[in-house]
């Protein structure tokens, strides 16, 4: 009687079988890899197609650009991560923000002597539109925010202060703390000026604290003192937050 | 250039603290500089050459009624002194009650008149002073309507450079 399965032939057979399985396995893996790379290629070509097709829209239409940014963010891609990356080469999106960033820096520096290094988002936006000319691309404050956030890599020279609607761009290295921004916020509501008593009652500060912060802002060249107010109280004016018809035209 | 057009005030003219001399040295330097520019442009626009300090204090140049601010006398003097250092202001007297505002310096005037002369082919001919500042051919020139004494100063400068010769009190000959 023969016993089954323990003979030499059975061992060989098993070996053969496992070898075949292995072979099959590699074959499958190779197939999957091939499939994956072809999928990637399709994705790549589609993306290129998309990029080519919508390049102009991304550059021209601010809303589209914003949506594109959001899409990129949700899939974990940062088209601005590098100027040499696929995205910026394909789309020129990087260039767009770099250019905008450079223009924003230029405006901040050009107006620094006037405003002591702080500029409202509204004014920067307006000036950027003017610099870029009538035929330039349309830009939104969202674009400016993106561009300025990118400037952080250059150090601490540029910062966005305050809340979304009334943001201020600070382009001088000096530290502005919460107290300083609180006063800037307050001044924005009253055409760019505050008095010590107004600050004390609005922010519930002591006279010493108020004086110290106002003097700091004056020393930094951000505030100008005005001693000719009707009630003889000194007013502190911020050129950056002051608006008049003539200033808007200048 | 026509005096009939309205003067373009700088934005600072509406900015109340512009009328209070600033304590911060950097800010003050910017402020005085802006005032100097304004004083020169204002006088150029209105073709004014003389400034009496007492009158100037009340003139619209140093006082903005709309915002009820005016530059105090010390401020006005500081601005004028700063212009004096630049050669744009010449005091008439030691007590500094009035001065001449050269919104262009004599040298600049001399250059402007000479380049007009060579441009219009008036070299080596005699022109009357009246013709230069009142004549029909110079209406669009900046020196049209210029005071005689200033004109003569400018022409004397040209004379000392050997570029012109004053003939009597009424005429001048330009040389190439």
């Amino acid at each position: 009687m023969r016993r089954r399965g323990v003979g030499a032939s059975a061992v060989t057979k098993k070996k053969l079988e496992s070898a075949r399985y292995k072979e099959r396995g590699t074959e499958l893996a190779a197939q999957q890899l091939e499939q994956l790379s072809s999928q990637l290629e399709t994705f790549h070509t589609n993306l290129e197609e998309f990029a080519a097709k919508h390049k102009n829209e991304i550059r021209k239409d601010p809303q589209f650009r914003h949506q594109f940014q959001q899409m990129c963010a949700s899939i974990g891609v940062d088209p601005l991560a590098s100027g040499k990356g696929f995205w910026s080469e394909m789309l020129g999106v990087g260039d767009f923000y770099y250019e905008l960033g450079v223009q924003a820096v230029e405006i901040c520096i050009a107006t620094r002597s006037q405003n002591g290094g702080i500029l409202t988002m509204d004014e920067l936006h307006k000036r950027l539109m003017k610099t870029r000319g009538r035929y330039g691309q349309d830009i939104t404050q969202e674009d400016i925010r993106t561009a300025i956030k990118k400037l952080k890599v250059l150090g601490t020279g540029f910062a966005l202060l305050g809340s979304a609607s009334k943001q201020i761009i600070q382009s001088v290295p000096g530290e502005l703390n919460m107290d300083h921004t609180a006063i800037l916020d307050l001044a924005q509501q009253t055409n760019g000026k505050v008095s010590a008593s107004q600050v004390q009652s609005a922010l519930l500060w002591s006279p010493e604290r108020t004086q110290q912060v106002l003097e700091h802002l004056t020393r930094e060249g951000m505030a100008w003192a005005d001693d000719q107010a009707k009630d003889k109280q000194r007013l502190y004016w911020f050129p950056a937050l002051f608006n008049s018809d003539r200033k808007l035209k200048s | 250039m026509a005096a009939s057009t309205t003067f373009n005030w700088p934005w600072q003219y509406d900015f109340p603290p512009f009328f209070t001399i600033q304590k911060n040295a950097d800010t003050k330097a910017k402020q005085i500089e802006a005032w100097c520019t304004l004083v020169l442009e204002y006088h150029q626009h209105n073709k004014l050459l003389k400034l009496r300090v007492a009158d100037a204090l009340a003139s619209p140049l140093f006082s903005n009624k709309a915002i009820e601010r005016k530059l105090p006398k010390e401020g006005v003097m500081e601005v004028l002194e700063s212009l004096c250092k630049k050669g744009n202001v010449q005091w008439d007297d030691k007590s500094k009650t009035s001065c001449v505002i050269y919104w262009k310096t004599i040298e600049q005037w001399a250059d402007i008149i000479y380049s007009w002369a060579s441009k219009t082919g008036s070299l080596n001919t005699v022109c009357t002073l009246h013709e230069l500042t009142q004549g029909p051919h110079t209406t669009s020139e900046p020196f049209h309507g210029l005071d005689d004494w200033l004109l003569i100063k400018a022409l004397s400068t040209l004379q000392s450079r050997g570029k012109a010769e004053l003939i009597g009190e009424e005429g001048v000959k330009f040389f190439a």
Side-chain angles (χ1 to χ4, degrees), chain A residues 113-114 218-219 224-228 230 234 237 242 246-247, chain B residues 9 11 14 16-17 19-20 22 24 27 30 68-70:
Chain A
S113 72
Q114 191 182 94
T218 315
R219 255 196 324 274
W224 288 48
D226 171 22
D227 290 335
Q228 295 178 46
K230 267 197 194 119
R234 174 172 284 188
W237 292 80
F242 169 78
R246 274 193 265 270
K247 183 159 178 260
Chain B
W9 295 96
W11 72 269
D14 295 329
F19 295 82
T20 297
Q22 297 300 303
N24 175 326
T27 312
K30 286 172 210 158
E68 297 182 303
R69 295 289 187 278
K70 60 181 191 179

PDB file of all heavy atoms in Angstrom, chain A residues 113-114 218-219 224-228 230 234 237 242 246-247, chain B residues 9 11 14 16-17 19-20 22 24 27 30 68-70:
ATOM      1  N   SER A 113       7.657 106.002   4.652  1.00  0.00           N
ATOM      2  CA  SER A 113       7.968 107.306   5.238  1.00  0.00           C
ATOM      3  C   SER A 113       6.684 108.051   5.577  1.00  0.00           C
ATOM      4  O   SER A 113       6.651 108.911   6.441  1.00  0.00           O
ATOM      5  CB  SER A 113       8.806 108.121   4.270  1.00  0.00           C
ATOM      6  OG  SER A 113       8.023 108.539   3.189  1.00  0.00           O
ATOM      7  N   GLN A 114       5.620 107.700   4.899  1.00  0.00           N
ATOM      8  CA  GLN A 114       4.346 108.372   5.132  1.00  0.00           C
ATOM      9  C   GLN A 114       3.601 107.763   6.312  1.00  0.00           C
ATOM     10  O   GLN A 114       2.995 108.467   7.096  1.00  0.00           O
ATOM     11  CB  GLN A 114       3.510 108.221   3.861  1.00  0.00           C
ATOM     12  CG  GLN A 114       2.279 109.073   3.814  1.00  0.00           C
ATOM     13  CD  GLN A 114       1.497 108.801   2.540  1.00  0.00           C
ATOM     14  OE1 GLN A 114       0.585 107.981   2.513  1.00  0.00           O
ATOM     15  NE2 GLN A 114       1.859 109.468   1.469  1.00  0.00           N
ATOM     16  N   THR A 218       4.120 106.733  18.810  1.00  0.00           N
ATOM     17  CA  THR A 218       4.647 107.998  18.297  1.00  0.00           C
ATOM     18  C   THR A 218       6.145 107.872  18.029  1.00  0.00           C
ATOM     19  O   THR A 218       6.647 108.334  17.005  1.00  0.00           O
ATOM     20  CB  THR A 218       4.402 109.130  19.311  1.00  0.00           C
ATOM     21  OG1 THR A 218       3.057 109.028  19.790  1.00  0.00           O
ATOM     22  CG2 THR A 218       4.590 110.491  18.686  1.00  0.00           C
ATOM     23  N   ARG A 219       6.853 107.235  18.966  1.00  0.00           N
ATOM     24  CA  ARG A 219       8.299 107.037  18.792  1.00  0.00           C
ATOM     25  C   ARG A 219       8.599 106.226  17.543  1.00  0.00           C
ATOM     26  O   ARG A 219       9.575 106.459  16.849  1.00  0.00           O
ATOM     27  CB  ARG A 219       8.866 106.303  20.009  1.00  0.00           C
ATOM     28  CG  ARG A 219       9.656 107.181  20.956  1.00  0.00           C
ATOM     29  CD  ARG A 219      10.515 106.380  21.913  1.00  0.00           C
ATOM     30  NE  ARG A 219       9.938 105.127  22.386  1.00  0.00           N
ATOM     31  CZ  ARG A 219       9.122 105.016  23.435  1.00  0.00           C
ATOM     32  NH1 ARG A 219       8.774 106.080  24.119  1.00  0.00           N
ATOM     33  NH2 ARG A 219       8.657 103.838  23.811  1.00  0.00           N
ATOM     34  N   TRP A 224       1.143 110.549  14.825  1.00  0.00           N
ATOM     35  CA  TRP A 224       1.521 111.962  14.861  1.00  0.00           C
ATOM     36  C   TRP A 224       0.669 112.644  15.929  1.00  0.00           C
ATOM     37  O   TRP A 224      -0.532 112.389  16.028  1.00  0.00           O
ATOM     38  CB  TRP A 224       1.225 112.643  13.518  1.00  0.00           C
ATOM     39  CG  TRP A 224       2.113 112.288  12.372  1.00  0.00           C
ATOM     40  CD1 TRP A 224       2.482 111.034  11.988  1.00  0.00           C
ATOM     41  CD2 TRP A 224       2.706 113.196  11.421  1.00  0.00           C
ATOM     42  NE1 TRP A 224       3.277 111.118  10.856  1.00  0.00           N
ATOM     43  CE2 TRP A 224       3.426 112.431  10.493  1.00  0.00           C
ATOM     44  CE3 TRP A 224       2.683 114.589  11.288  1.00  0.00           C
ATOM     45  CZ2 TRP A 224       4.122 112.999   9.432  1.00  0.00           C
ATOM     46  CZ3 TRP A 224       3.376 115.157  10.222  1.00  0.00           C
ATOM     47  CH2 TRP A 224       4.101 114.365   9.317  1.00  0.00           C
ATOM     48  N   ALA A 225       1.306 113.545  16.698  1.00  0.00           N
ATOM     49  CA  ALA A 225       0.579 114.257  17.741  1.00  0.00           C
ATOM     50  C   ALA A 225      -0.077 115.508  17.159  1.00  0.00           C
ATOM     51  O   ALA A 225       0.499 116.181  16.322  1.00  0.00           O
ATOM     52  CB  ALA A 225       1.536 114.640  18.858  1.00  0.00           C
ATOM     53  N   ASP A 226      -1.285 115.792  17.625  1.00  0.00           N
ATOM     54  CA  ASP A 226      -2.024 116.973  17.180  1.00  0.00           C
ATOM     55  C   ASP A 226      -2.481 117.726  18.420  1.00  0.00           C
ATOM     56  O   ASP A 226      -3.284 117.226  19.203  1.00  0.00           O
ATOM     57  CB  ASP A 226      -3.222 116.513  16.331  1.00  0.00           C
ATOM     58  CG  ASP A 226      -4.174 117.653  16.012  1.00  0.00           C
ATOM     59  OD1 ASP A 226      -3.752 118.829  16.062  1.00  0.00           O
ATOM     60  OD2 ASP A 226      -5.353 117.360  15.706  1.00  0.00           O
ATOM     61  N   ASP A 227      -1.934 118.948  18.608  1.00  0.00           N
ATOM     62  CA  ASP A 227      -2.243 119.710  19.822  1.00  0.00           C
ATOM     63  C   ASP A 227      -3.258 120.821  19.593  1.00  0.00           C
ATOM     64  O   ASP A 227      -3.361 121.740  20.396  1.00  0.00           O
ATOM     65  CB  ASP A 227      -0.952 120.316  20.395  1.00  0.00           C
ATOM     66  CG  ASP A 227      -0.057 119.232  20.980  1.00  0.00           C
ATOM     67  OD1 ASP A 227      -0.597 118.179  21.354  1.00  0.00           O
ATOM     68  OD2 ASP A 227       1.166 119.444  21.032  1.00  0.00           O
ATOM     69  N   GLN A 228      -3.992 120.767  18.477  1.00  0.00           N
ATOM     70  CA  GLN A 228      -4.911 121.867  18.200  1.00  0.00           C
ATOM     71  C   GLN A 228      -6.377 121.441  18.222  1.00  0.00           C
ATOM     72  O   GLN A 228      -7.235 122.082  17.617  1.00  0.00           O
ATOM     73  CB  GLN A 228      -4.575 122.515  16.854  1.00  0.00           C
ATOM     74  CG  GLN A 228      -3.201 123.188  16.861  1.00  0.00           C
ATOM     75  CD  GLN A 228      -2.850 123.787  15.511  1.00  0.00           C
ATOM     76  OE1 GLN A 228      -3.657 124.452  14.887  1.00  0.00           O
ATOM     77  NE2 GLN A 228      -1.639 123.548  15.058  1.00  0.00           N
ATOM     78  N   LYS A 230     -10.133 120.962  19.620  1.00  0.00           N
ATOM     79  CA  LYS A 230     -10.967 121.969  20.306  1.00  0.00           C
ATOM     80  C   LYS A 230     -10.904 121.863  21.816  1.00  0.00           C
ATOM     81  O   LYS A 230     -10.823 122.860  22.514  1.00  0.00           O
ATOM     82  CB  LYS A 230     -12.414 121.813  19.839  1.00  0.00           C
ATOM     83  CG  LYS A 230     -12.721 122.729  18.673  1.00  0.00           C
ATOM     84  CD  LYS A 230     -14.221 122.872  18.491  1.00  0.00           C
ATOM     85  CE  LYS A 230     -14.531 123.497  17.141  1.00  0.00           C
ATOM     86  NZ  LYS A 230     -15.326 122.646  16.279  1.00  0.00           N
ATOM     87  N   ARG A 234      -4.683 116.283  23.537  1.00  0.00           N
ATOM     88  CA  ARG A 234      -3.831 115.859  22.431  1.00  0.00           C
ATOM     89  C   ARG A 234      -4.473 114.669  21.705  1.00  0.00           C
ATOM     90  O   ARG A 234      -4.947 113.720  22.327  1.00  0.00           O
ATOM     91  CB  ARG A 234      -2.459 115.453  22.965  1.00  0.00           C
ATOM     92  CG  ARG A 234      -1.576 114.861  21.885  1.00  0.00           C
ATOM     93  CD  ARG A 234      -0.166 114.643  22.368  1.00  0.00           C
ATOM     94  NE  ARG A 234       0.573 115.893  22.427  1.00  0.00           N
ATOM     95  CZ  ARG A 234       1.882 115.968  22.669  1.00  0.00           C
ATOM     96  NH1 ARG A 234       2.567 114.869  22.902  1.00  0.00           N
ATOM     97  NH2 ARG A 234       2.486 117.121  22.703  1.00  0.00           N
ATOM     98  N   TRP A 237      -2.804 110.832  15.695  1.00  0.00           N
ATOM     99  CA  TRP A 237      -3.314 110.468  14.371  1.00  0.00           C
ATOM    100  C   TRP A 237      -2.391 109.448  13.715  1.00  0.00           C
ATOM    101  O   TRP A 237      -1.172 109.559  13.809  1.00  0.00           O
ATOM    102  CB  TRP A 237      -3.376 111.694  13.460  1.00  0.00           C
ATOM    103  CG  TRP A 237      -4.394 112.700  13.852  1.00  0.00           C
ATOM    104  CD1 TRP A 237      -4.290 113.636  14.820  1.00  0.00           C
ATOM    105  CD2 TRP A 237      -5.695 112.885  13.257  1.00  0.00           C
ATOM    106  NE1 TRP A 237      -5.430 114.406  14.879  1.00  0.00           N
ATOM    107  CE2 TRP A 237      -6.306 113.970  13.930  1.00  0.00           C
ATOM    108  CE3 TRP A 237      -6.394 112.255  12.217  1.00  0.00           C
ATOM    109  CZ2 TRP A 237      -7.579 114.426  13.593  1.00  0.00           C
ATOM    110  CZ3 TRP A 237      -7.651 112.708  11.894  1.00  0.00           C
ATOM    111  CH2 TRP A 237      -8.240 113.779  12.579  1.00  0.00           C
ATOM    112  N   PHE A 242      -5.649 107.250   8.235  1.00  0.00           N
ATOM    113  CA  PHE A 242      -6.355 108.497   7.956  1.00  0.00           C
ATOM    114  C   PHE A 242      -6.735 108.539   6.476  1.00  0.00           C
ATOM    115  O   PHE A 242      -5.920 108.228   5.614  1.00  0.00           O
ATOM    116  CB  PHE A 242      -5.439 109.674   8.297  1.00  0.00           C
ATOM    117  CG  PHE A 242      -5.935 111.008   7.817  1.00  0.00           C
ATOM    118  CD1 PHE A 242      -6.940 111.676   8.488  1.00  0.00           C
ATOM    119  CD2 PHE A 242      -5.400 111.590   6.676  1.00  0.00           C
ATOM    120  CE1 PHE A 242      -7.399 112.911   8.046  1.00  0.00           C
ATOM    121  CE2 PHE A 242      -5.852 112.816   6.222  1.00  0.00           C
ATOM    122  CZ  PHE A 242      -6.863 113.477   6.908  1.00  0.00           C
ATOM    123  N   ARG A 246      -8.096 113.773  -0.891  1.00  0.00           N
ATOM    124  CA  ARG A 246      -6.791 114.047  -1.498  1.00  0.00           C
ATOM    125  C   ARG A 246      -5.836 112.890  -1.286  1.00  0.00           C
ATOM    126  O   ARG A 246      -5.049 112.553  -2.152  1.00  0.00           O
ATOM    127  CB  ARG A 246      -6.194 115.317  -0.900  1.00  0.00           C
ATOM    128  CG  ARG A 246      -6.655 116.574  -1.597  1.00  0.00           C
ATOM    129  CD  ARG A 246      -5.811 117.764  -1.190  1.00  0.00           C
ATOM    130  NE  ARG A 246      -6.396 118.515  -0.101  1.00  0.00           N
ATOM    131  CZ  ARG A 246      -7.243 119.538  -0.273  1.00  0.00           C
ATOM    132  NH1 ARG A 246      -7.584 119.897  -1.488  1.00  0.00           N
ATOM    133  NH2 ARG A 246      -7.736 120.177   0.746  1.00  0.00           N
ATOM    134  N   LYS A 247      -5.903 112.273  -0.099  1.00  0.00           N
ATOM    135  CA  LYS A 247      -4.965 111.188   0.187  1.00  0.00           C
ATOM    136  C   LYS A 247      -5.259 109.992  -0.716  1.00  0.00           C
ATOM    137  O   LYS A 247      -4.357 109.330  -1.204  1.00  0.00           O
ATOM    138  CB  LYS A 247      -5.074 110.771   1.644  1.00  0.00           C
ATOM    139  CG  LYS A 247      -4.080 109.693   2.004  1.00  0.00           C
ATOM    140  CD  LYS A 247      -3.827 109.645   3.489  1.00  0.00           C
ATOM    141  CE  LYS A 247      -2.864 108.531   3.845  1.00  0.00           C
ATOM    142  NZ  LYS A 247      -3.539 107.348   4.354  1.00  0.00           N
TER     143      LYS A 247
ATOM    144  N   TRP B   9      -3.453 120.876  -3.371  1.00  0.00           N
ATOM    145  CA  TRP B   9      -2.892 120.741  -2.026  1.00  0.00           C
ATOM    146  C   TRP B   9      -2.464 119.303  -1.809  1.00  0.00           C
ATOM    147  O   TRP B   9      -3.133 118.389  -2.262  1.00  0.00           O
ATOM    148  CB  TRP B   9      -3.938 121.130  -0.970  1.00  0.00           C
ATOM    149  CG  TRP B   9      -4.331 122.560  -1.027  1.00  0.00           C
ATOM    150  CD1 TRP B   9      -5.411 123.074  -1.679  1.00  0.00           C
ATOM    151  CD2 TRP B   9      -3.649 123.673  -0.434  1.00  0.00           C
ATOM    152  NE1 TRP B   9      -5.450 124.444  -1.526  1.00  0.00           N
ATOM    153  CE2 TRP B   9      -4.379 124.835  -0.761  1.00  0.00           C
ATOM    154  CE3 TRP B   9      -2.507 123.791   0.343  1.00  0.00           C
ATOM    155  CZ2 TRP B   9      -3.991 126.104  -0.343  1.00  0.00           C
ATOM    156  CZ3 TRP B   9      -2.121 125.049   0.769  1.00  0.00           C
ATOM    157  CH2 TRP B   9      -2.859 126.196   0.421  1.00  0.00           C
ATOM    158  N   TRP B  11      -1.947 115.822   0.370  1.00  0.00           N
ATOM    159  CA  TRP B  11      -2.892 115.189   1.310  1.00  0.00           C
ATOM    160  C   TRP B  11      -2.619 115.626   2.744  1.00  0.00           C
ATOM    161  O   TRP B  11      -3.522 115.720   3.559  1.00  0.00           O
ATOM    162  CB  TRP B  11      -2.855 113.669   1.189  1.00  0.00           C
ATOM    163  CG  TRP B  11      -1.610 113.042   1.735  1.00  0.00           C
ATOM    164  CD1 TRP B  11      -0.464 112.778   1.059  1.00  0.00           C
ATOM    165  CD2 TRP B  11      -1.371 112.614   3.086  1.00  0.00           C
ATOM    166  NE1 TRP B  11       0.465 112.225   1.898  1.00  0.00           N
ATOM    167  CE2 TRP B  11      -0.062 112.111   3.144  1.00  0.00           C
ATOM    168  CE3 TRP B  11      -2.139 112.613   4.256  1.00  0.00           C
ATOM    169  CZ2 TRP B  11       0.508 111.622   4.310  1.00  0.00           C
ATOM    170  CZ3 TRP B  11      -1.571 112.121   5.426  1.00  0.00           C
ATOM    171  CH2 TRP B  11      -0.264 111.632   5.446  1.00  0.00           C
ATOM    172  N   ASP B  14      -4.717 118.174   4.713  1.00  0.00           N
ATOM    173  CA  ASP B  14      -5.954 117.783   5.397  1.00  0.00           C
ATOM    174  C   ASP B  14      -5.698 117.007   6.688  1.00  0.00           C
ATOM    175  O   ASP B  14      -6.623 116.623   7.390  1.00  0.00           O
ATOM    176  CB  ASP B  14      -6.803 116.884   4.485  1.00  0.00           C
ATOM    177  CG  ASP B  14      -7.284 117.633   3.267  1.00  0.00           C
ATOM    178  OD1 ASP B  14      -7.502 118.849   3.381  1.00  0.00           O
ATOM    179  OD2 ASP B  14      -7.434 116.999   2.206  1.00  0.00           O
ATOM    180  N   PRO B  16      -4.670 116.785  10.256  1.00  0.00           N
ATOM    181  CA  PRO B  16      -4.540 117.765  11.349  1.00  0.00           C
ATOM    182  C   PRO B  16      -3.156 117.862  12.007  1.00  0.00           C
ATOM    183  O   PRO B  16      -2.664 118.969  12.216  1.00  0.00           O
ATOM    184  CB  PRO B  16      -5.634 117.342  12.319  1.00  0.00           C
ATOM    185  CG  PRO B  16      -6.657 116.698  11.452  1.00  0.00           C
ATOM    186  CD  PRO B  16      -5.889 115.979  10.375  1.00  0.00           C
ATOM    187  N   PRO B  17      -2.502 116.747  12.357  1.00  0.00           N
ATOM    188  CA  PRO B  17      -1.215 116.902  13.059  1.00  0.00           C
ATOM    189  C   PRO B  17      -0.097 117.503  12.202  1.00  0.00           C
ATOM    190  O   PRO B  17       0.960 117.851  12.731  1.00  0.00           O
ATOM    191  CB  PRO B  17      -0.852 115.469  13.471  1.00  0.00           C
ATOM    192  CG  PRO B  17      -1.665 114.589  12.628  1.00  0.00           C
ATOM    193  CD  PRO B  17      -2.908 115.336  12.270  1.00  0.00           C
ATOM    194  N   PHE B  19      -0.079 120.277  11.252  1.00  0.00           N
ATOM    195  CA  PHE B  19       0.005 121.655  11.713  1.00  0.00           C
ATOM    196  C   PHE B  19       0.555 121.777  13.138  1.00  0.00           C
ATOM    197  O   PHE B  19       0.531 122.840  13.732  1.00  0.00           O
ATOM    198  CB  PHE B  19      -1.366 122.337  11.608  1.00  0.00           C
ATOM    199  CG  PHE B  19      -1.841 122.480  10.181  1.00  0.00           C
ATOM    200  CD1 PHE B  19      -2.456 121.420   9.522  1.00  0.00           C
ATOM    201  CD2 PHE B  19      -1.638 123.663   9.484  1.00  0.00           C
ATOM    202  CE1 PHE B  19      -2.867 121.551   8.198  1.00  0.00           C
ATOM    203  CE2 PHE B  19      -2.043 123.792   8.164  1.00  0.00           C
ATOM    204  CZ  PHE B  19      -2.653 122.729   7.518  1.00  0.00           C
ATOM    205  N   THR B  20       0.975 120.657  13.707  1.00  0.00           N
ATOM    206  CA  THR B  20       1.634 120.678  15.008  1.00  0.00           C
ATOM    207  C   THR B  20       3.044 120.139  14.776  1.00  0.00           C
ATOM    208  O   THR B  20       3.193 119.023  14.281  1.00  0.00           O
ATOM    209  CB  THR B  20       0.894 119.751  16.008  1.00  0.00           C
ATOM    210  OG1 THR B  20      -0.425 120.245  16.211  1.00  0.00           O
ATOM    211  CG2 THR B  20       1.633 119.682  17.335  1.00  0.00           C
ATOM    212  N   GLN B  22       6.107 118.147  15.072  1.00  0.00           N
ATOM    213  CA  GLN B  22       6.238 116.857  15.738  1.00  0.00           C
ATOM    214  C   GLN B  22       7.493 116.781  16.601  1.00  0.00           C
ATOM    215  O   GLN B  22       8.517 117.388  16.295  1.00  0.00           O
ATOM    216  CB  GLN B  22       6.255 115.737  14.698  1.00  0.00           C
ATOM    217  CG  GLN B  22       4.957 115.635  13.901  1.00  0.00           C
ATOM    218  CD  GLN B  22       3.757 115.356  14.788  1.00  0.00           C
ATOM    219  OE1 GLN B  22       3.739 114.361  15.518  1.00  0.00           O
ATOM    220  NE2 GLN B  22       2.755 116.225  14.733  1.00  0.00           N
ATOM    221  N   ASN B  24       8.949 113.704  17.585  1.00  0.00           N
ATOM    222  CA  ASN B  24       9.788 112.616  17.083  1.00  0.00           C
ATOM    223  C   ASN B  24      10.655 113.139  15.930  1.00  0.00           C
ATOM    224  O   ASN B  24      10.145 113.659  14.929  1.00  0.00           O
ATOM    225  CB  ASN B  24       8.864 111.486  16.610  1.00  0.00           C
ATOM    226  CG  ASN B  24       9.622 110.342  15.959  1.00  0.00           C
ATOM    227  OD1 ASN B  24      10.641 110.550  15.299  1.00  0.00           O
ATOM    228  ND2 ASN B  24       9.122 109.145  16.133  1.00  0.00           N
ATOM    229  N   THR B  27       9.942 111.826  12.310  1.00  0.00           N
ATOM    230  CA  THR B  27       8.650 112.300  11.828  1.00  0.00           C
ATOM    231  C   THR B  27       8.728 113.789  11.510  1.00  0.00           C
ATOM    232  O   THR B  27       8.223 114.248  10.496  1.00  0.00           O
ATOM    233  CB  THR B  27       7.555 112.042  12.889  1.00  0.00           C
ATOM    234  OG1 THR B  27       7.664 110.697  13.347  1.00  0.00           O
ATOM    235  CG2 THR B  27       6.178 112.279  12.319  1.00  0.00           C
ATOM    236  N   LYS B  30      10.397 114.543   8.192  1.00  0.00           N
ATOM    237  CA  LYS B  30       9.468 114.319   7.075  1.00  0.00           C
ATOM    238  C   LYS B  30       8.475 115.460   6.973  1.00  0.00           C
ATOM    239  O   LYS B  30       8.107 115.901   5.888  1.00  0.00           O
ATOM    240  CB  LYS B  30       8.682 113.018   7.294  1.00  0.00           C
ATOM    241  CG  LYS B  30       9.478 111.769   7.079  1.00  0.00           C
ATOM    242  CD  LYS B  30       8.638 110.581   7.517  1.00  0.00           C
ATOM    243  CE  LYS B  30       9.514 109.446   8.013  1.00  0.00           C
ATOM    244  NZ  LYS B  30       8.766 108.543   8.893  1.00  0.00           N
ATOM    245  N   GLU B  68      -9.699 123.596  10.836  1.00  0.00           N
ATOM    246  CA  GLU B  68      -9.377 124.462  11.969  1.00  0.00           C
ATOM    247  C   GLU B  68      -8.002 124.182  12.560  1.00  0.00           C
ATOM    248  O   GLU B  68      -7.848 123.958  13.762  1.00  0.00           O
ATOM    249  CB  GLU B  68     -10.447 124.316  13.056  1.00  0.00           C
ATOM    250  CG  GLU B  68     -11.805 124.766  12.577  1.00  0.00           C
ATOM    251  CD  GLU B  68     -12.841 124.672  13.683  1.00  0.00           C
ATOM    252  OE1 GLU B  68     -13.015 123.565  14.219  1.00  0.00           O
ATOM    253  OE2 GLU B  68     -13.487 125.681  13.980  1.00  0.00           O
ATOM    254  N   ARG B  69      -7.022 124.179  11.680  1.00  0.00           N
ATOM    255  CA  ARG B  69      -5.647 123.986  12.130  1.00  0.00           C
ATOM    256  C   ARG B  69      -4.777 125.030  11.454  1.00  0.00           C
ATOM    257  O   ARG B  69      -5.005 125.368  10.287  1.00  0.00           O
ATOM    258  CB  ARG B  69      -5.122 122.604  11.729  1.00  0.00           C
ATOM    259  CG  ARG B  69      -5.821 121.430  12.366  1.00  0.00           C
ATOM    260  CD  ARG B  69      -5.501 121.324  13.839  1.00  0.00           C
ATOM    261  NE  ARG B  69      -6.044 120.109  14.438  1.00  0.00           N
ATOM    262  CZ  ARG B  69      -7.308 119.967  14.849  1.00  0.00           C
ATOM    263  NH1 ARG B  69      -8.158 120.951  14.693  1.00  0.00           N
ATOM    264  NH2 ARG B  69      -7.697 118.831  15.407  1.00  0.00           N
ATOM    265  N   LYS B  70      -3.794 125.555  12.206  1.00  0.00           N
ATOM    266  CA  LYS B  70      -2.823 126.412  11.554  1.00  0.00           C
ATOM    267  C   LYS B  70      -1.435 126.211  12.142  1.00  0.00           C
ATOM    268  O   LYS B  70      -1.291 125.881  13.320  1.00  0.00           O
ATOM    269  CB  LYS B  70      -3.235 127.876  11.614  1.00  0.00           C
ATOM    270  CG  LYS B  70      -3.404 128.441  12.996  1.00  0.00           C
ATOM    271  CD  LYS B  70      -3.851 129.899  12.866  1.00  0.00           C
ATOM    272  CE  LYS B  70      -3.765 130.588  14.213  1.00  0.00           C
ATOM    273  NZ  LYS B  70      -4.157 131.994  14.116  1.00  0.00           N
TER     274      LYS B  70
END
